[in-house]
Amino acid sequence: MAEPDHLARECGLTAAALPALFLQLTTAGVVSHWNAAAMTGDLHWVLKERAR
């Protein structure tokens, strides 16, 4: 899990840009799924496994 503000800063983005970033990562097949916790706003994502 990560705090959105910290992750955004580390990526050089605003927190508002994170949903679009995760949508792009999901569409590109890098992330299988992600969500933001309703109570805390923490982010959780799962990387997609590569085929061997």
Side-chain angles (χ1 to χ4, degrees):
M1 292 212 197
E3 295 178 11
D5 291 335
H6 179 79
L7 180 63
R9 257 192 325 273
E10 292 293 321
C11 294
L13 300 169
T14 64
L18 290 176
L21 170 66
F22 276 101
L23 179 59
Q24 289 178 345
L25 291 171
T26 303
T27 301
V30 175
V31 171
S32 65
H33 63 275
W34 70 278
N35 70 343
M39 295 287 290
T40 63
D42 286 347
L43 295 172
H44 174 80
W45 62 89
V46 176
L47 296 177
K48 192 167 185 178
E49 291 186 35
R50 292 185 181 193
R52 294 180 187 209

